[in-house]
Structures are given as C-alpha cells and as structure tokens.
Amino acid sequence: MVFGRGRKPQPAVTLETYAATVEQILPAIGVNPVTARMNTESGFGWSFQRGSAVIEVFVSVQNNVGYLQVLAPILHLPAQGLLPLYRRLLELNLQLTNAALGVYMDVVYVFSERPLDGLDADEANNIISLVAAYADDLDNKLFEEFGGRLYAKV
C-alpha cells in the first residue's frame, strides 16, 4: 500500500504567508499595515500605537522555527523601588491570559510568542488585540504605582 497517492500536495506555508495574514488583520484593528511596517534583520515587523502603548508585531524564524511575537514596551524601570515592582509584575503574570510581563534592557514589556505552525488569522488577531489591550491598560497603572517613564512618552 502506498500512502499519499491521489492526494493533492499541500501548498507550502512560508514566512511570507504568515506575514500576509498579519497584514490582512491589521486593518480590522484600525492599523494601516503599509505605514506600520518596520525594517527587520530577518522576517517581517510592524509597529503601531494602541491607546498609550506601542505595539510591535514580528513574524520571524529563530532556530529554524517560525514565530509570531507580539511585544509592547510599556515602562522604563524606575531608579528606585525595583523589588516591589518586580513582585507586582510576577503577581500580574498570574492574572494575564496568553501573555506575560518581562523586563529587557531596563524596559518592562507585555508580550506573547507562539510558533507559526497552525496559526490562523483569528488567533493572530486575538493575540495582537490581547497584548495591545493589556499594554494600554497596564502602562499607566504601573507608572502611577511605581514611577519610571512611560515607554511611549520617549
């Protein structure tokens, strides 16, 4: 018995295919994909403002695996009071769904990352919208509670 006979070959899903998916959903959330495009070293990227937060979306390959990454830098760390802020970030992580808070180069981020395999437009839209909503909500709250400097106000 030979498997696969008579079956149509499935079209190859490429990084470009996933980038096109992102570009199709951005207008649904009020973003012009052409003006939002960013230059990236590899892959594709978009950056846009959502409320008071900057949202960055990347479709890229890392270690031979494609990923959708949605990042929102929200707050430059304050000079003092880091321990209470870090504790609050960890507490908030337990309340977030399909996203997390982290710190990179003295900036607090809301982010979500997912392998591209099996990603569809609805899920990509949900991830982008969710990170954007969390970022827009948390940036001002964390700034008021801990100080620092809002990222979008640079």
Side-chain angles (χ1 to χ4, degrees):
M1 178 180 283
V2 177
F3 293 99
R5 265 191 185 201
R7 291 180 17 188
K8 290 183 180 179
Q10 295 296 317
V13 179
T14 63
L15 213 53
E16 289 79 9
T17 303
Y18 289 109
T21 298
V22 171
E23 292 220 334
Q24 288 172 355
I25 64 172
L26 288 177
I29 58 173
V31 175
N32 180 333
V34 174
T35 59
R37 280 189 201 133
M38 298 185 334
N39 290 327
T40 62
E41 288 184 25
S42 63
F44 302 87
W46 302 265
S47 179
F48 58 92
Q49 192 89 19
R50 178 61 63 223
S52 58
V54 173
I55 312 302
E56 298 172 349
V57 179
F58 298 96
V59 173
S60 61
V61 175
Q62 297 174 15
N63 301 321
N64 295 320
V65 177
Y67 287 95
L68 171 71
Q69 297 173 305
V70 183
L71 307 165
I74 59 173
L75 183 72
H76 292 271
L77 291 175
Q80 298 177 12
L82 291 179
L83 189 58
L85 171 60
Y86 290 155
R87 180 183 178 109
R88 182 76 173 119
L89 296 177
L90 286 171
E91 291 168 346
L92 287 168
N93 270 338
L94 285 175
Q95 298 171 22
L96 301 181
T97 302
N98 202 28
L101 292 157
V103 175
Y104 179 70
M105 296 185 67
D106 293 333
V107 176
V108 177
Y109 284 81
V110 178
F111 67 95
S112 183
E113 181 176 83
R114 181 211 188 282
L116 290 173
D117 191 33
L119 179 72
D120 64 24
D122 286 338
E123 186 177 4
N125 185 24
N126 288 338
I127 292 169
I128 293 167
S129 297
L130 184 70
V131 169
Y134 283 144
D136 188 34
D137 180 51
L138 291 173
D139 59 353
N140 290 311
K141 287 181 181 177
L142 290 170
F143 172 73
E144 289 171 10
E145 190 173 347
F146 297 102
R149 190 174 78 242
L150 288 173
Y151 186 87
K153 304 287 185 192
V154 173

